[in-house]
Amino acid sequence: MKQDSTIMQILSILKKHQHQILSGETIAQTAHITRSYVSKVIQGLTAIGYDIESVNRVGYIYHSDQKVLDEAKISSQLKYPKEILILDEVDSTNTFLKHLAKTIDVKELVVVANQQTGGRGRIGRTYVSNPTSGIYFSLLYRPKIAIEYAKKLTCLAGVAVVRAIQKLTGLEAKIKWVNDVYIHGKKVCGILTEASTSIEENAFEYAIIGIGVNCYQQEFSKEVAAIATTLEDEAKCIVSRNDLIAEIINQIDIELSQIESSHFMKEYKAYSFVIGKEVELQKMKESHFVKVIDITKDGELVVEEEGKVYTISSGEITRMVVQSE
Ligand code: BTN
């Protein structure tokens, strides 16, 4: 508690002198602590997203808290209020929420992490979740809809992300079937939807929508850098992670409340960049070179292979490489 109040005090001293240089000695004297403790606290604040510049041997300049995750700032923007839990670090927000969904009787919950140590993607892939660099969050719903809608939930989330990016950055993102969001040909967001359903009752026990968006410039490995990008790189601006999370949740909630009409599927198709393209699909370790003709109203891919037209669901495919632009 004593520690918390000291951190708040240091923050308030820094904020009072926003954009001005303040020496470590001045902060230490005002807060009645040592200079080394000031430096430790400032390191911690920077790690969770505070933009505090360290000027060598002179002091610190507080710029902004735009990158800091803040439950109140997310909550205050939600159209349909729900509980939000912010964690500094977790293996995977989806895994964490899955355990909670089974053990606690909460109807809706959002879990956000500043970093994931075991972020998961589709088909057992890992999802890079660098600290304070993106949004990594999962939403728990217990929707009263038939289980046939499960596939559409991912499409719905994709549309929500595209809309939110458009609103906050002005950029027109595209969707690579089924759940990757791209900007200028590189992946900026991945979505992992997991559900537990009862076939006898044709109902959901729960559905978890996990979303990761690369927000700020960061160090990617060579392989990742070749295929991934960030909002900051593409939009040349710093988006507030709180605003982005709130906007995505609002867009999901709007469409989930009217999922039976599935209006968003038209939009999903319009955002898709694979329709009309030649693609290589990896299906049960076999490669299929096909042309994408359409996406059905249930989110399945309609393809043509050697004159034969058939549909494929995302579960059947482990890889898709787009051949032609
Ligand atoms: C993919 O690219 O295949 C999907 C990536 C999904 C990543 C998000 S980040 C939040 C949530 N927690 C996870 O472990 N995965 C999802």
Side-chain angles (χ1 to χ4, degrees):
M1 192 61 202
K2 160 109 176 53
Q3 269 194 348
D4 279 358
S5 66
T6 309
I7 295 168
M8 297 317 289
Q9 200 184 357
I10 294 177
L11 257 179
S12 117
I13 298 166
L14 285 163
K15 280 183 181 175
K16 254 191 226 152
H17 298 85
Q18 193 178 15
H19 304 309
Q20 297 164 25
I21 198 155
L22 206 58
S23 73
E25 188 57 41
T26 308
I27 303 171
Q29 276 175 10
T30 319
H32 307 291
I33 48 173
T34 62
R35 277 180 65 170
S36 74
Y37 192 62
V38 170
S39 141
K40 222 161 111 184
V41 169
I42 290 179
Q43 263 177 39
L45 291 171
T46 316
I48 58 167
Y50 283 94
D51 183 3
I52 303 168
E53 190 183 337
S54 239
V55 184
N56 218 359
R57 294 176 191 279
V58 185
Y60 304 96
I61 309 173
Y62 176 90
H63 293 294
S64 84
D65 62 0
Q66 210 184 0
K67 291 184 177 178
V68 181
L69 288 170
D70 185 328
E71 190 254 309
K73 286 186 184 162
I74 300 172
S75 276
S76 63
Q77 300 185 61
L78 292 187
K79 293 201 167 79
Y80 299 81
K82 53 190 106 257
E83 254 186 75
I84 299 170
L85 183 62
I86 295 188
L87 306 170
D88 182 39
E89 183 186 300
V90 73
D91 54 351
S92 148
T93 52
N94 264 39
T95 310
F96 183 86
L97 203 43
K98 229 192 240 184
H99 290 308
L100 280 190
K102 288 180 194 149
T103 50
I104 65 168
D105 192 20
V106 59
K107 198 165 161 268
E108 288 185 0
L109 182 64
V110 184
V111 175
V112 185
N114 191 47
Q115 64 176 305
Q116 296 185 119
T117 51
R120 295 192 288 114
R122 276 187 65 239
I123 351 171
R125 294 197 183 114
T126 56
Y127 183 79
V128 176
S129 317
N130 291 328
T132 328
S133 305
I135 56 170
Y136 320 112
F137 74 107
S138 302
L139 294 132
L140 167 74
Y141 290 102
R142 300 192 192 268
K144 299 249 172 301
I145 49 174
I147 57 178
E148 289 81 56
Y149 288 99
K151 282 182 202 153
K152 279 192 190 164
L153 280 178
T154 304
C155 302
L156 184 156
V159 168
V161 170
V162 172
R163 285 185 191 165
I165 290 177
Q166 156 82 46
K167 186 164 171 189
L168 271 70
T169 68
L171 289 173
E172 280 182 28
K174 296 277 173 206
I175 298 174
K176 181 179 172 197
W177 184 81
V178 57
N179 62 351
D180 291 340
V181 178
Y182 275 61
I183 298 176
H184 303 144
K186 283 188 165 184
K187 180 166 164 173
V188 75
C189 162
I191 299 165
L192 178 66
T193 308
E194 298 179 291
S196 168
T197 55
S198 154
I199 294 170
E200 303 88 63
E201 291 172 33
N202 190 24
F204 282 86
E205 190 206 334
Y206 64 78
I208 291 171
I209 303 175
I211 299 176
V213 180
N214 306 328
C215 293
Y216 312 131
Q217 282 178 346
Q218 56 198 282
E219 294 260 323
F220 287 128
S221 68
K222 230 176 158 185
E223 299 76 47
V224 176
I227 51 167
T229 189
T230 71
L231 293 181
E232 184 179 358
D233 281 299
E234 301 306 324
K236 309 282 179 263
C237 69
I238 301 282
V239 166
S240 150
R241 292 191 289 170
N242 304 309
D243 294 353
L244 185 60
I245 291 170
E247 189 56 36
I248 294 173
I249 297 175
N250 282 338
Q251 293 298 340
I252 290 177
D253 282 345
I254 290 167
E255 292 307 332
L256 200 54
S257 67
Q258 49 188 16
I259 193 166
E260 272 93 352
S261 70
S262 299
H263 287 311
F264 60 86
M265 283 309 293
K266 232 174 145 182
E267 216 174 318
Y268 178 84
K269 268 173 65 168
Y271 296 146
S272 163
F273 73 85
V274 297
I275 297 177
K277 302 262 169 75
E278 310 279 342
V279 303
E280 180 191 348
L281 297 176
Q282 193 91 36
K283 192 179 167 195
M284 308 259 277
K285 293 196 176 146
E286 264 178 35
S287 270
H288 293 255
F289 291 87
V290 304
K291 181 166 183 181
V292 179
I293 307 289
D294 201 359
I295 292 171
T296 69
K297 61 179 183 21
D298 296 320
E300 296 195 324
L301 207 63
V302 183
V303 299
E304 186 186 326
E305 184 178 12
E306 291 169 1
K308 259 180 46 198
V309 175
Y310 58 95
T311 60
I312 296 182
S313 71
S314 59
E316 299 174 67
I317 301 299
T318 48
R319 206 165 89 102
M320 178 199 269
V321 182
V322 181
Q323 306 282 299
S324 60
E325 285 304 310

